[in-house]
Amino acid sequence: TLIAGLVTAAAVAGSVLFLARQTKQSVDQYLVANELAGARALAQGYELWDRVITSFIDYPELRQYFYEGVELPEDSTTRARVLAMTELIGDALQSAHWLYQGKDVALLGSVDPESDIRSDWDDWTQFILTMSPALRAFVRERPLQYPFLTRMLDTIESATTG
């Protein structure tokens, strides 16, 4: 029975060591998967914004409604383009927030260690909301669709009125 006890103890010890090794490998795989997910989130944010930039290249006259504080135009064709661009920008900014939400921003930084990705995106969002009356109105009309933009707009407006 002593030999059986030693064999059993050795088997349990071997099982524990094997389990510890598997657990470490699982943690390593999780970290790699999280880093890949963060890189993909970052890429998706850039892809959405690339669509915005492409639209500005195709219709440069629209930039003034987002960068220079110009109100919505009366002309129906230009107005429709500004509103379409407003939705595209709103989607890009809100989606980027959702992509970053719950991600470890330090891990996202491993994609580009020199940049503070989240604060740069938040600064950009604040700039566009501040400069675009069309985007502000669009977000106010759809607070449930754009909760992050709505909260940021509330912060901007409270800072300028209080």
Side-chain angles (χ1 to χ4, degrees):
T1 59
L2 179 61
I3 293 176
L6 289 174
V7 169
T8 301
V12 168
S15 294
V16 169
L17 290 173
F18 183 71
L19 179 60
R21 183 172 179 257
Q22 283 183 317
T23 302
K24 182 190 179 319
Q25 287 177 338
S26 293
V27 168
D28 291 345
Q29 286 175 342
Y30 168 79
L31 292 174
V32 169
N34 194 31
E35 202 165 315
L36 288 173
R40 182 63 192 139
L42 181 60
Q44 285 175 332
Y46 287 137
E47 287 169 11
L48 288 168
W49 199 252
D50 282 347
R51 291 177 50 203
V52 171
I53 297 301
T54 299
S55 297
F56 280 139
I57 290 168
D58 293 340
Y59 302 99
E61 69 276 8
L62 298 182
R63 289 181 66 85
Q64 64 185 330
Y65 301 102
F66 302 95
Y67 289 87
E68 298 171 20
V70 176
E71 296 288 337
L72 273 170
E74 296 297 322
D75 172 63
S76 63
T77 302
T78 306
R79 186 179 188 86
R81 284 188 180 135
V82 170
L83 291 174
M85 180 67 105
T86 300
E87 187 167 3
L88 182 61
I89 289 173
D91 289 349
L93 295 173
Q94 182 65 50
S95 294
H97 173 73
W98 280 330
L99 291 169
Y100 290 134
Q101 192 173 8
K103 301 280 189 293
D104 184 343
V105 178
L107 286 178
L108 289 175
S110 67
V111 176
D112 184 359
E114 296 301 314
S115 69
D116 181 359
I117 298 161
R118 180 60 183 269
S119 71
D120 289 347
W121 198 262
D122 288 350
D123 289 348
W124 183 249
T125 301
Q126 183 175 357
F127 172 79
I128 291 293
L129 281 169
T130 301
M131 296 305 295
S132 177
L135 185 59
R136 287 194 302 274
F138 182 81
V139 167
R140 282 289 177 224
E141 292 169 5
R142 297 161 184 82
L144 296 177
Q145 188 174 349
Y146 300 98
F148 167 68
L149 299 180
T150 299
R151 284 191 309 274
M152 185 169 276
L153 188 52
D154 289 343
T155 301
I156 292 167
E157 289 175 349
S158 70
T160 57
T161 59

